[in-house]
Amino acid sequence: MRQAIFLHIFLGTLVCLSGFYVNAEDPYLYYTWTVTYGTISPLGYPQKGILINGQFPGPTIDCVTNNNIVVNVINKLDEPFLITWNGVKQRKTSWQDGVLGTNCPIPPNTNWTYKFQTKDQIGTFTYFPSTGLHRFAGGFGAFNIAQRSVISIPYPKFDGEFNLLIGDWFKADPKTLQNRLDKGYSYLPFPEALLINGLPDGRAVFTGEKGKTYKFRVSNVGTETSINFRIQGHVMTLVEVEGAHSLQEVYESFDIHVGQSAAFLVTLNGSVKDYFIVANSRFTKKVLTTTAILSYAGSQSRAQGPLPVGPSTRDIHWSMKQARTVRLNLTANAARPNPQGSFHYGTIPIVRTIVLANSETRIGGKLRYAVNGISYVDPETPLKLADWFGIPGVFSLNTIKDTPTPGRPAVYGASVIGTTLHDFVEIVFQNNESKLQSWHLDGYSSYIVGYGLKQQWTADMRKRYNLADGIPRHTIQVFPKSWTAILVSLDNKGMWNLRSAIWSRRYLGQQLYVRVWNNEHSLFTENDIPQNAILCGQAKKSS
């Protein structure tokens, strides 16, 4: 009798616990996105653009730390298509990264469902097409991750928020631009304009109430051009950069390079009227300028000039000086960048130094871009699938070297750098060209520890590193004829794209992959291949 009672209590406890764990699972958010071509008019005349559920830009994803995101993408274009989630770390799920090194593209008139978690992240991010030059036609949108309600934010409470997607825009059809690059004879033309939320000069309006404070989430969704952002008559308090809480410095204007995002608090403490929001191109011969409107509720006065003045368009020193003021808020609670639970990245031993030099080159007479002498070409079989199924001949870990070889002629290749899970690595981006570079690493945030203006990096430069409160970012600018150094803890197993965020350069070879690997097959470090994975190339025969 006593045993029966004990068994009954034990089984009841198991039922209760099972119910607790089911209910304790993080929430799921479901989306169905139909991707089509449609007519848009961002420059005042009709163009063919990429729409998601009929929208340009695409729908905003608003979620919370650790939410599970399920997006069913239905491809109604006439060619294969993928979306990548710019800055979402895809912890244990590089399968969901949405680039050709990890995923087979979604064929026309079919669908594929992304499933991933916003694990241990907060912040301002974006998504966009990664295939070909699709992002030149649209298909991009905002992706915001809020902190859980039980975690306080390390800055004053705000009354509302706005998304500003700012980027350059071309009048030419993306297929025409792609054909121009494929022929390899010339560069892309200069962009026609800057857009804010897909709208031309003065069309986007953001309305708030006097005396209240708003969060402005600002992202550069362009393909070629750095921008400077400012608001007439108002200052901006920086609070977050690509998922990291920053020191709350106050700025009158702020540089945001291609692929980067930042969030500001702005208090509406002016007169009740309209004000200009201004973005202009940086480091360009011809200056592109666009505006939006910050409108106080009840305003009867339209915004009037002159527009607020930003830094000199070509003042690189100003931009680097500002970049050094962007530092990590060490008193913030969560979510923290990796390594989890510690901000003492400056005391972690570096196990490997990788110096990556970008270059413009010609291969077979065609314009290409290279990294350490290798101009990347996507193999028919995605690298991740080849690695998973053990398919030989798709890539070699010896193709690209850890340091550039001066005078080496550039060649085509599928560049993969092999690393071990939990390596702590120093990566130096050496830019020997006269144009600013913007680099993005999928799967990670990396501590920016040093910038060098118009000089070659040497080991002595480490004496100047910020080893205390460098800001972690997923997209890193490298100024002309200069270098930028980052430190990164490679604790996210997978095959990760390290690429130029300047899309024509990426398309023509300025990218590679970082393989973060160990020989242990464990769901604690990496999920198995999804059951719905699309197989292509040699992976079709290996499944």
Side-chain angles (χ1 to χ4, degrees):
M1 179 69 178
R2 187 175 299 174
Q3 289 179 333
I5 293 173
F6 175 78
L7 181 60
H8 179 75
I9 294 173
F10 176 74
L11 292 175
T13 301
L14 283 180
V15 170
C16 291
L17 285 174
S18 65
F20 170 79
Y21 285 119
V22 169
N23 292 330
E25 188 175 11
D26 292 299
Y28 280 75
L29 301 180
Y30 295 90
Y31 304 88
T32 298
W33 287 359
T34 301
V35 181
T36 61
Y37 282 119
T39 300
I40 58 176
S41 301
L43 300 180
Y45 48 82
Q47 290 182 262
K48 186 169 76 170
I50 291 178
L51 311 178
I52 298 179
N53 292 352
Q55 299 178 43
F56 168 75
T60 296
I61 290 182
D62 284 307
C63 62
V64 177
T65 301
N66 293 344
N67 279 176
N68 294 285
I69 309 299
V70 181
V71 186
N72 180 23
V73 176
I74 304 169
N75 179 17
K76 291 294 184 179
L77 305 184
D78 58 358
E79 53 192 346
F81 182 80
L82 280 173
I83 290 175
T84 191
W85 315 93
N86 196 48
V88 178
K89 293 181 181 176
Q90 302 290 355
R91 294 201 62 81
K92 302 196 300 181
T93 56
S94 67
W95 305 104
Q96 311 294 330
D97 200 26
V99 291
L100 289 175
T102 56
N103 297 84
C104 298
I106 307 168
N109 295 312
T110 64
N111 73 297
W112 191 69
T113 301
Y114 291 87
K115 298 177 183 178
F116 57 89
Q117 187 179 25
T118 55
K119 181 68 174 170
D120 296 331
Q121 283 192 264
I122 58 95
T124 303
F125 308 102
T126 58
Y127 63 84
F128 54 78
S130 67
T131 38
L133 298 189
H134 283 140
R135 65 179 296 190
F136 284 72
F140 55 79
F143 194 119
N144 303 322
I145 309 175
Q147 292 191 200
R148 296 167 58 216
S149 59
V150 296
I151 303 295
S152 61
I153 57 175
Y155 45 84
K157 186 178 179 180
F158 52 93
D159 299 290
E161 63 182 48
F162 304 117
N163 296 312
L164 285 84
L165 304 176
I166 307 176
D168 49 24
W169 193 258
F170 296 79
K171 69 178 181 180
D173 180 273
K175 290 186 178 180
T176 301
L177 296 174
Q178 186 167 326
N179 184 56
R180 181 171 177 161
L181 292 180
D182 288 342
K183 288 182 178 179
Y185 302 137
S186 62
Y187 308 102
L188 290 183
F190 191 71
E192 267 66 42
L194 298 179
L195 306 179
I196 299 179
N197 290 357
L199 297 170
D201 189 44
R203 292 284 301 278
V205 179
F206 305 90
T207 302
E209 296 184 30
K210 180 179 172 62
K212 292 190 175 182
T213 298
Y214 295 86
K215 179 189 278 188
F216 283 71
R217 297 181 181 268
V218 186
S219 299
N220 186 334
V221 294
T223 57
E224 303 283 316
T225 312
S226 297
I227 62 167
N228 180 266
F229 173 79
R230 52 200 182 272
I231 303 176
Q232 185 182 37
H234 295 74
V235 294
M236 310 178 298
T237 302
L238 183 69
V239 294
E240 177 254 319
V241 175
E242 295 164 23
H245 294 306
S246 66
L247 288 183
Q248 293 163 32
E249 302 284 355
V250 177
Y251 299 91
E252 293 184 353
S253 71
F254 196 82
D255 279 356
I256 304 178
H257 305 283
V258 179
Q260 294 184 340
S261 299
F264 308 89
L265 292 187
V266 178
T267 299
L268 276 55
N269 52 13
S271 302
V272 176
K273 61 178 184 178
D274 291 355
Y275 298 85
F276 284 114
I277 298 172
V278 181
N280 69 263
S281 60
R282 295 285 276 135
F283 320 120
T284 55
K285 291 182 180 180
K286 177 183 177 182
V287 180
L288 299 174
T289 302
T290 192
T291 63
I293 302 299
L294 172 59
S295 181
Y296 281 43
S299 169
Q300 300 297 317
S301 301
R302 300 181 64 180
Q304 296 182 343
L307 298 180
V309 177
S312 173
T313 306
R314 294 196 180 186
D315 193 343
I316 295 171
H317 184 267
W318 184 96
S319 188
M320 181 178 285
K321 185 177 179 181
Q322 182 185 78
R324 288 182 173 133
T325 68
V326 181
R327 294 174 294 159
L328 184 63
N329 183 348
L330 297 179
T331 65
N333 37 31
R336 291 180 176 178
N338 297 318
Q340 291 288 340
S342 171
F343 292 115
H344 303 293
Y345 65 89
T347 64
I348 302 173
I350 295 170
V351 302
R352 186 174 179 183
T353 296
I354 300 170
V355 180
L356 300 176
N358 53 273
S359 61
E360 179 183 315
T361 187
R362 296 271 169 176
I363 301 178
K366 291 187 175 183
L367 174 66
R368 296 289 299 186
Y369 297 99
V371 185
N372 288 5
I374 307 297
S375 186
Y376 183 87
V377 178
D378 279 302
E380 183 183 82
T381 306
L383 304 169
K384 180 63 183 173
L385 293 181
D387 206 20
W388 181 263
F389 291 117
I391 302 170
V394 176
F395 68 90
S396 168
L397 299 179
N398 296 318
T399 298
I400 188 170
K401 305 304 179 185
D402 281 10
T403 56
T405 304
R408 175 187 180 183
V411 296
Y412 292 115
S415 305
V416 180
I417 292 177
T419 65
T420 301
L421 184 65
H422 300 301
D423 277 356
F424 192 72
V425 174
E426 175 186 42
I427 301 177
V428 179
F429 299 99
Q430 181 68 58
N431 179 14
N432 297 322
E433 299 181 66
S434 58
K435 295 182 179 179
L436 183 140
Q437 306 295 321
S438 187
W439 284 92
H440 171 86
L441 175 59
D442 282 347
Y444 292 93
S445 289
S446 308
Y447 291 95
I448 300 181
V449 293
Y451 299 98
L453 185 60
K454 295 186 177 180
Q455 60 187 195
Q456 291 286 312
W457 180 87
T458 66
D460 287 340
M461 305 298 182
R462 295 190 182 114
K463 298 174 183 177
R464 297 159 42 188
Y465 281 5
N466 176 359
L467 297 179
D469 60 357
I471 196 78
R473 305 192 76 143
H474 59 65
T475 302
I476 301 102
Q477 73 268 27
V478 190
F479 295 95
K481 303 289 185 179
S482 304
W483 57 265
T484 300
I486 64 173
L487 299 177
V488 56
S489 176
L490 298 177
D491 64 350
N492 192 11
K493 191 173 179 178
M495 186 76 72
W496 303 107
N497 193 209
L498 177 55
R499 62 176 177 263
S500 175
I502 300 172
W503 213 247
S504 61
R505 298 184 73 98
R506 179 195 189 260
Y507 181 75
L508 291 180
Q510 191 173 313
Q511 60 169 314
L512 55 100
Y513 282 79
V514 179
R515 178 188 186 243
V516 181
W517 185 84
N518 68 359
N519 59 5
E520 178 188 17
H521 182 188
S522 170
L523 295 180
F524 288 103
T525 56
E526 184 180 37
N527 293 347
D528 286 342
I529 186 171
Q531 291 183 351
N532 69 336
I534 302 172
L535 302 181
C536 56
Q538 297 180 61
K540 279 186 176 181
K541 305 172 185 177
S542 301
S543 60

